[in-house]
Amino acid sequence: MKALIIDEPWITEVLTGRKTWEMRKTACRLRGRIALIRKGSGQVVGTAEVIDTLPPLDTPEAYAAAEDRHRIPPHRQATAFADGWRHPWVLRNARPLATPVPYEHPQGAVIWVTLAPAVSAKVEAGCVGDAASQTDLGSAIEAPSQAPRTPAPSRAEAAATMAGQGARAKISGRIEGNRCIIPISSGNITNNHFYLRTVLPFFPEECIGGSDKSQLARQMMKVTFANGPAVITDIAGPDIHAREGRSAHYFFRNARGQIKDFFARSGAEPGDEVLIERSDPYAYSVNLRKAPRCP
């Protein structure tokens, strides 16, 4: 069985059925059912059918018009088009595996992997069935690889968990079209920050700099906080010199004071969510969505 390597966030878009065109630099001759590998994970996470390869998109306007199929956001389309990602591989019947299947990654493989027969058999046996609902698909995508499925906690339960765990709570954001959503913990509130690592594809690559102010990004952004000021900032990322002790936390570099005031102004509590909305590639607004509280 052939397996296609796809990076995030695109593989999640494929598995949830939102992305039906996988954009590549060349045409695909293969047709039929394939496995899907999440890049860098060492795991097969789903399957899909390749049913066609369309002629390359020949203008930026055509690229923009097909956004609902390839799901590349407007601020990334010009770069993708210029770099040659113009051939739509048409996919259908994407299905996540109930449990991801580990595989042995061959050296040098960057697009396709031929799975061992034993791995292929596990993949064939592990797909969520065609009758699964979109809710089931989302649960399968997010399920831990070894844990049994349990009902997702409510936001109120999540708030209580974060309040108890403080800064140790595992925070995972999500991207929804022109906005991203990041739950916050008591540690975030105490230290006047929230991290952007799990929603990094939401932001332009040229807005991500290094770990200190000597490593500013090529492009700054305007970030406006609800009922408060705007700040011109980039995102602090990995140290370009790879120095020890300098972690890549990914946060708005110049906004700690504004975040402190924003949390105080909005009455932020553990379990609430930060909503970041994009108005153009380099302009964003930040709001708070309160979690329901247990009576």
Side-chain angles (χ1 to χ4, degrees), residues 33 93-98 125-133 136-137 140 149:
R33 195 160 183 239
N93 293 333
R95 298 283 180 246
L97 299 183
C127 272
V128 174
D130 289 345
S133 67
D136 294 331
L137 296 180
R149 290 197 211 172

Side-chain angles (χ1 to χ4, degrees), residues 13-195:
E13 293 284 293
V14 169
L15 290 172
T16 53
R18 294 187 292 261
K19 179 179 171 69
T20 56
W21 285 8
E22 170 65 6
M23 303 304 291
R24 295 284 169 157
K25 293 185 176 183
T26 59
C28 179
R29 297 181 180 179
L30 181 66
R31 299 290 183 271
R33 195 160 183 239
I34 62 169
L36 301 174
I37 292 170
R38 177 177 284 116
K39 183 177 179 180
S41 71
Q43 296 178 326
V44 181
V45 295
T47 65
E49 294 176 38
V50 181
I51 63 171
D52 202 0
T53 298
L54 302 181
L57 302 180
D58 56 0
T59 67
E61 291 75 19
Y63 217 94
E67 182 183 340
D68 62 328
R69 282 156 284 179
H70 59 61
R71 300 290 290 181
I72 298 172
H75 70 276
R76 290 193 170 195
Q77 289 175 16
T79 299
F81 184 84
D83 288 346
W85 300 94
R86 304 181 190 180
H87 289 259
W89 295 9
V90 183
L91 307 177
R92 72 178 179 189
N93 293 333
R95 298 283 180 246
L97 299 183
T99 301
V101 176
Y103 74 99
E104 189 71 28
H105 190 83
Q107 185 174 1
V110 295
I111 300 177
W112 293 103
V113 170
T114 301
L115 300 177
V119 175
S120 297
K122 290 180 181 179
V123 171
E124 294 285 3
C127 272
V128 174
D130 289 345
S133 67
Q134 286 299 315
T135 299
D136 294 331
L137 296 180
S139 299
I141 293 167
E142 296 172 0
S145 58
Q146 299 299 327
R149 290 197 211 172
T150 56
S154 67
R155 289 182 64 206
E157 292 169 334
T161 299
M162 288 184 183
Q165 292 179 340
R168 295 183 181 272
K170 184 177 180 180
I171 304 299
S172 181
R174 59 193 186 275
I175 299 171
E176 298 179 352
N178 282 327
R179 70 177 184 175
C180 65
I181 301 168
I182 306 169
I184 56 173
S185 69
S186 60
N188 295 139
I189 297 169
T190 299
N191 294 294
N192 311 315
H193 63 57
F194 49 82
Y195 292 131

